[in-house]
Amino acid sequence: MKFPAKERASAFAARYFVPGNWLLLVISFALVPAAVLVVEAGFRISMPPVDPFLAFVRAPVLQSDLRGRSGPRVFEFDARLGWRLKPNLRETWWDFTPVSTNSRGLRMSHEVAQKRGLRVVVLGDSVAFGYRVPTAYDQKRGLVFDRAERPYPELVEERLRVRFNRSDIEVIPLAVPGYSSSQGLAWLERDVAELKPDAVVASFGWNDLRTAGLPDRVTLPSSFLQILLRRLIASSQFLLHVKGAPSAGPSTPAVAEPRTSDDEYVSNFLKMAEICKREGAWFGILLPVYRDPNVPGIDPEKPQDRGNPDEGRRMTFYRHRLRAEAQIARIPTLEISKLTEGAWPGNRRLFGERIHPNAAGHVLIAGRLAEFLREPLERLQARQ
């Protein structure tokens, strides 16, 4: 037998809308968050704090790279990108590199203000960041380094201002050590609308093709829910301790694979180009640098080193594949042949070690990149 809607509503009200039941309901809802707060407070008081950076960046080689040789770490956790540079650093010594950042955590001497003229974004990894440029040798006696040595984004800005005879050209370095093209793509997606660049130059390579535990698609999944989950876990010491417990499965695959496959690598750059086109920005690619073929006995600093020929071959393959696909997509590319393994051993004086150009290498990059940007910026200037 079915009761009329009015009678069903009355029965529902009689059952639930009574003072005693409402009081129990309110108490139940209040107890749950109270219990959560008590547990959280207990972990914060009684347990050593877990750094979200270490909880999510689990690969030992990445932790070692980002920790540096000594001194305070200059990185912190980022739910979307994995890690980022800490904001407001002041000549902090990290792995022979003096690091200063603005309030956005960018390696710049000034803040990113409202756009006034032409704006170029340099998107990249430790090469664009300027690893060991300048080089600070002795932390114990205070930072001692040559202030004339500067990363190539700064030098490019200087050259473009002279070339165009205007002071309102700025180059913003969206560059963090250890970043892959996947992280660069995520960063560009997040900030491009706010920054409103006229031109973007992206350069990633070694971090993508190296084997560093699981690939980025596993360690840094990029869906909205996964980012939200990382942000939630990072805000709770209780959840961080739970996540920090040893896992039951292996931390690395049976067969090592690069952080980014060559298909993913190319796809990331093509997506960057699409984003820039949507936002009305010119997009170009600085192809990755690499000192030598990485074969046994070739490293002058490590004559007994067996090298890593597979890595050297992957670097060559990734660069060639990216250049070919960019040509098909009509994306401008810049390859500085002196900074590739094909120029070895003549390029020895342009590198600090196999991965990173030294100050002289950055001067070379700046000159070539400023010329690479000349034509598109002339067109943009003519339209202003």
Side-chain angles (χ1 to χ4, degrees), residues 8-27:
R8 291 201 304 270
S10 298
F12 180 84
R15 182 175 180 182
Y16 294 104
F17 286 77
V18 295
N21 286 354
W22 272 108
L23 181 60
L24 289 174
L25 192 62
V26 169
I27 291 173

Side-chain angles (χ1 to χ4, degrees), residues 76-95:
E76 63 184 11
F77 172 71
D78 184 283
R80 183 163 188 170
L81 305 176
W83 60 90
R84 62 189 175 219
L85 287 167
K86 290 181 179 178
N88 301 315
L89 297 172
R90 292 294 174 265
E91 294 190 351
T92 301
W93 192 90
W94 172 74
D95 208 352

Side-chain angles (χ1 to χ4, degrees), residues 36-46:
V36 171
L37 290 175
V38 168
V39 171
E40 180 67 24
F43 269 82
R44 288 178 181 268
I45 293 171
S46 62

Side-chain angles (χ1 to χ4, degrees), residues 198-228:
D198 298 290
V200 175
V201 177
S203 182
F204 298 90
W206 184 71
N207 294 303
D208 286 89
L209 61 88
R210 73 182 300 206
T211 54
L214 295 168
D216 280 9
R217 64 180 175 274
V218 176
T219 58
L220 291 171
S222 58
S223 73
F224 172 78
L225 289 178
Q226 290 159 331
I227 294 170
L228 183 63

Side-chain angles (χ1 to χ4, degrees), residues 107-120:
R107 197 182 182 194
M108 299 176 65
S109 60
H110 57 276
E111 298 297 331
V112 178
Q114 184 176 359
K115 181 180 173 182
R116 296 185 300 112
L118 292 174
R119 175 174 285 176
V120 177

Side-chain angles (χ1 to χ4, degrees), residues 1-13:
M1 179 179 180
K2 293 185 178 180
F3 294 96
K6 186 175 181 180
E7 292 184 15
R8 291 201 304 270
S10 298
F12 180 84

Side-chain angles (χ1 to χ4, degrees), residues 102-280:
N102 62 15
S103 62
R104 295 177 67 117
L106 302 179
R107 197 182 182 194
M108 299 176 65
S109 60
H110 57 276
E111 298 297 331
V112 178
Q114 184 176 359
K115 181 180 173 182
R116 296 185 300 112
L118 292 174
R119 175 174 285 176
V120 177
V121 163
V122 170
L123 189 65
D125 50 24
S126 55
V127 174
F129 163 83
Y131 175 72
R132 296 187 180 179
V133 178
T135 303
Y137 291 98
D138 193 344
Q139 182 191 18
K140 295 180 181 179
R141 299 181 183 177
L143 289 177
V144 179
F145 57 90
D146 185 352
R147 294 183 183 273
E149 295 181 353
R150 290 176 291 162
Y152 75 78
E154 289 186 35
L155 298 175
V156 169
E157 181 179 86
E158 185 177 85
R159 283 160 171 71
L160 291 177
R161 287 183 175 187
V162 171
R163 171 66 180 79
F164 288 89
N165 191 29
R166 50 189 295 182
S167 61
D168 60 353
I169 296 179
E170 61 179 339
V171 176
I172 298 177
L174 299 189
V176 171
Y179 270 21
S180 67
S181 62
S182 300
Q183 291 164 293
L185 172 61
W187 198 355
L188 186 66
E189 286 177 325
R190 189 186 71 184
D191 289 1
V192 65
E194 178 190 357
L195 293 175
K196 298 180 175 62
D198 298 290
V200 175
V201 177
S203 182
F204 298 90
W206 184 71
N207 294 303
D208 286 89
L209 61 88
R210 73 182 300 206
T211 54
L214 295 168
D216 280 9
R217 64 180 175 274
V218 176
T219 58
L220 291 171
S222 58
S223 73
F224 172 78
L225 289 178
Q226 290 159 331
I227 294 170
L228 183 63
L229 181 61
R230 291 199 292 269
R231 186 172 287 117
L232 174 64
I233 293 173
S235 68
S236 166
Q237 281 296 308
F238 167 66
L239 294 177
L240 284 170
H241 275 86
V242 172
K243 175 176 175 52
S247 61
S251 57
T252 57
V255 178
E257 58 180 304
R259 285 180 59 188
T260 309
S261 71
D262 59 294
D263 286 336
E264 292 168 329
Y265 180 66
V266 170
S267 175
N268 287 337
F269 281 93
L270 296 179
K271 289 175 182 176
M272 292 178 204
E274 291 173 2
I275 292 170
C276 289
K277 183 177 180 181
R278 183 190 70 211
E279 298 294 331

